[in-house]
Amino acid sequence: MTRPVPWIPSVLYGAVLLGGLYYAAIGPGPGVRSAGFAGLLCALTVLDAREWPVASGAVFAPGAVFALRAVLLGAVAALDPSGLSRVLFVLLPFLAFFVWGRTVSVVLGAGCVAALAGVFTVRVPHWEVRAEYISDLLMFALGVVLAIAMAAVAVREQQARARLEGTLAQVAELSAARERNRLARDIHDSLGHHLTAIGIQLEKAEAFASLDAAGSAQAVAHARWSANRALDEVRASVRTLGPEAGSGPAGLGRALTDLVHHLDGGSGRITLEVSGTERRPLLVLYRAAQEGLTNACRHSGATQIRVDVAYEEQGAVLRVADNGGGFGTAEEGFGLAGLRERLRLAGGSVLRSSATGTVLTVRVPW
């Protein structure tokens, strides 16, 4: 594991180096031991400054580097007459935490404290009754505890950062998926409807080309209107990337009237009834009307299609009913699934029933 706080060893090495050189300057004076002391600290700094690969020897590589560090620390302590370098041994449990985890770190920290007590026992007679050595041992033990705690905090912070990055990546992926779904709904609800209308009108124009030239020309004009309308909606969809639950054509009643007129082509098969006072245009109702009319014209075989819009106190209700053959056991298609998602985002509901013909009922709160 990469150490999240690689600067801590270097700071300790620098502090001990300055303290040791200062002690030599005011005491015995610089000499060979001081030069060796400084050189070993520089070697330790270089050792901890680089990342050692573990792929070539999954256990041996970090273990070998750690053993080399321990040997160098022992050599520094042997060449340091001031005794300041013993503080560097807190780095052993600190660095072990990042390689082998908490258990090894705690065991190694306890071993370092025990080793210092052993050194005092060998070198200082009756040290256990001398306050300065008891204080040194307690301060070293406290340093070990703080080093392990700092390593634990650093590891948890690193893990939390990794989890946060993973969460942010998931959020970005979900946002992209949501936007793809929105664009797919737009393509289906807008282009799909208008392509269906164009197909119906062109079929009508072809059928009546030799029988009713005026009716055929009117059907072509309606198909052209649907094509232009599809182009306008594509441009509007490209310009806005936000959800469309609360925005829509200016004047839903007028937009629905225009839609029915061009889709019906003057045949009288589709009728529209609007009641109540419109408070604000709702694009989701317009999309619902497109979905209901497209399915009725394409699949139901209906001869009569009725569209009712009622603006009530609590919200708006759209009802598209036809006298066709109903949907039977057919599975719900992408269009209705997309419409349900639109209604969910708008806080509304959609219900499709098939007793005689098909009835699509949509409710949207204000």
Side-chain angles (χ1 to χ4, degrees):
M1 177 182 290
T2 303
R3 296 197 306 274
V5 281
W7 52 269
I8 288 182
S10 298
V11 170
L12 285 179
Y13 295 148
V16 170
L17 177 61
L18 292 176
L21 294 179
Y22 177 74
Y23 180 86
I26 64 174
V32 176
R33 293 186 61 181
S34 298
F37 168 76
L40 289 175
L41 283 175
C42 292
L44 280 167
T45 303
V46 173
L47 180 69
D48 284 321
R50 62 172 296 181
E51 295 290 337
W52 294 92
V54 298
S56 58
V59 176
F60 176 75
V65 173
F66 194 85
L68 177 61
R69 183 184 292 109
V71 170
L72 291 176
L73 287 176
V76 169
L79 294 175
D80 179 20
S82 68
L84 294 174
S85 57
R86 70 173 66 124
V87 72
L88 296 178
F89 284 91
V90 302
L91 291 175
L92 294 180
F94 175 78
L95 297 175
F97 199 108
F98 301 107
V99 181
W100 295 293
R102 177 169 51 190
T103 301
V104 173
S105 176
V106 171
V107 171
L108 191 57
C112 289
V113 174
L116 181 60
V119 171
F120 285 168
T121 301
V122 172
R123 293 187 176 182
V124 184
H126 307 295
W127 69 273
E128 64 275 5
V129 295
R130 299 176 61 176
E132 63 270 24
Y133 288 98
I134 296 294
S135 176
D136 285 349
L137 184 63
L138 290 177
M139 292 301 295
F140 181 77
L142 179 60
V144 168
V145 171
L146 292 177
I148 295 174
M150 183 180 297
V153 170
V155 168
R156 283 197 295 269
E157 181 184 0
Q158 187 181 47
Q159 293 171 344
R161 186 180 296 111
R163 288 194 296 269
L164 177 60
E165 291 175 354
T167 301
L168 292 176
Q170 291 178 354
V171 169
E173 184 177 352
L174 290 174
S175 298
R178 180 179 178 181
E179 185 60 22
R180 286 195 298 269
N181 290 336
R182 188 193 71 82
L183 291 174
R185 288 196 304 269
D186 283 348
I187 291 173
H188 176 277
D189 296 345
S190 179
L191 288 180
H193 162 78
H194 288 299
L195 289 175
T196 298
I198 290 170
I200 293 173
Q201 296 299 335
L202 290 180
E203 287 176 1
K204 179 180 177 180
E206 183 180 14
F208 288 92
S210 58
L211 302 177
D212 185 0
S216 177
Q218 185 184 42
V220 172
H222 289 319
R224 185 181 297 110
W225 176 90
S226 293
N228 292 333
R229 181 66 179 171
L231 182 59
D232 290 340
E233 292 188 7
V234 167
R235 289 169 176 168
S237 180
V238 170
R239 283 195 300 266
T240 174
L241 297 179
E244 300 177 85
S247 60
L252 179 62
R254 292 195 303 273
L256 289 178
T257 300
D258 203 26
L259 174 66
V260 168
H261 171 71
H262 287 88
L263 187 61
D264 182 58
S267 67
R269 184 173 64 147
I270 305 175
T271 58
L272 172 66
E273 183 71 27
V274 179
S275 61
T277 303
E278 180 179 348
R279 295 189 182 181
R280 61 184 177 89
L282 292 169
L283 180 58
V284 67
L285 284 184
Y286 185 79
R287 295 303 189 200
Q290 283 183 318
E291 176 66 18
L293 288 172
T294 298
N295 289 336
C297 294
R298 180 188 297 175
H299 305 299
S300 70
T303 58
Q304 293 294 324
I305 305 171
R306 181 177 176 85
V307 181
D308 293 294
V309 180
Y311 297 109
E312 301 175 348
E313 185 66 25
Q314 301 299 322
V317 180
L318 169 77
R319 185 173 177 269
V320 180
D322 65 63
N323 63 349
F327 53 84
T329 59
E331 294 184 358
E332 184 175 292
F334 177 80
L336 189 56
L339 180 60
R340 290 189 187 280
E341 177 64 15
R342 286 183 183 273
L343 267 297
R344 185 188 67 81
L345 295 175
S349 63
V350 57
L351 175 65
R352 186 179 67 160
S353 60
S354 180
T356 56
T358 301
V359 179
L360 180 71
T361 304
V362 172
R363 298 179 181 274
V364 183
W366 292 124

